[in-house]
Amino acid sequence: MSKPDRPAVLWTRVLLAALAVPQLFTGLWAVVATESWYRSFPGFGPMLVAAEPPYNAHLASDAGSGFVATGVFLLAAAWWGDRRVVLIAGVSLLSFALPHVIYHSTHPSPGLSDAENVVNSLVLTIAALLPLAVIVATAREGKSTTTKENTRR
């Protein structure tokens, strides 16, 4: 039986919990009120989802379910704190965030101005860098722990 992994550093767990909040908010909104989410997301500034019509209730609900699932996994990883689970949560969020930023950076929305498209890409880039920071910090923590254990033997 393998022994449990060490807990991840606290700031990575706090960051995962903070990243879970917009995932859960966005997802629940899209699942519960698909048309409102489509027309109004993010609730201020340019309406990002409606900038790429047409509205599709099924797609909006499915996208919302994906956001909810991601948010739940991020919260669970933050709560449990197991280094490996935190690492997987970071990889999981990055696997969504990276293609998302690439898509929006290479396919400007026709319903947004050039400036709005640039701001959207910058915000999405930051959203991809945050889970990357969790991954790097958690992977480094694992290496330093392994090195310390090896030197004690």
Side-chain angles (χ1 to χ4, degrees):
M1 184 171 200
S2 67
K3 65 181 183 178
D5 198 12
R6 294 180 184 246
V9 291
L10 181 60
W11 74 264
T12 61
R13 295 172 65 188
V14 170
L15 181 55
L16 287 180
L19 289 169
V21 172
Q23 297 291 315
L24 290 168
F25 176 78
T26 300
L28 290 171
W29 182 10
V31 168
V32 172
T34 56
E35 194 167 348
S36 168
W37 176 76
Y38 172 80
R39 289 187 183 164
S40 304
F41 181 81
F44 56 86
M47 303 312 149
L48 300 176
V49 180
E52 296 210 25
Y55 168 69
N56 180 317
H58 178 203
L59 183 59
S61 179
D62 285 357
S65 297
F67 281 115
V68 169
T70 302
V72 167
F73 185 59
L74 293 171
L75 272 182
W79 177 262
W80 288 325
D82 181 276
R83 194 186 63 74
R84 290 173 291 190
V85 176
V86 168
L87 182 60
I88 293 168
V91 170
S92 177
L93 184 55
L94 184 63
S95 71
F96 163 75
L98 191 56
H100 194 198
V101 71
I102 290 170
Y103 176 84
H104 284 289
S105 296
T106 59
H107 298 87
S109 175
L112 298 177
S113 69
D114 289 344
E116 290 169 334
N117 275 308
V118 168
V119 169
N120 190 33
S121 290
L122 289 173
V123 168
L124 294 174
T125 298
I126 292 166
L129 291 174
L130 294 174
L132 183 60
V134 168
I135 293 165
V136 170
T138 305
R140 283 186 179 164
E141 178 66 20
K143 287 180 184 175
S144 67
T145 300
T146 303
T147 303
K148 288 176 192 170
E149 287 175 357
N150 288 342
T151 57
R152 282 186 230 156
R153 292 181 184 167

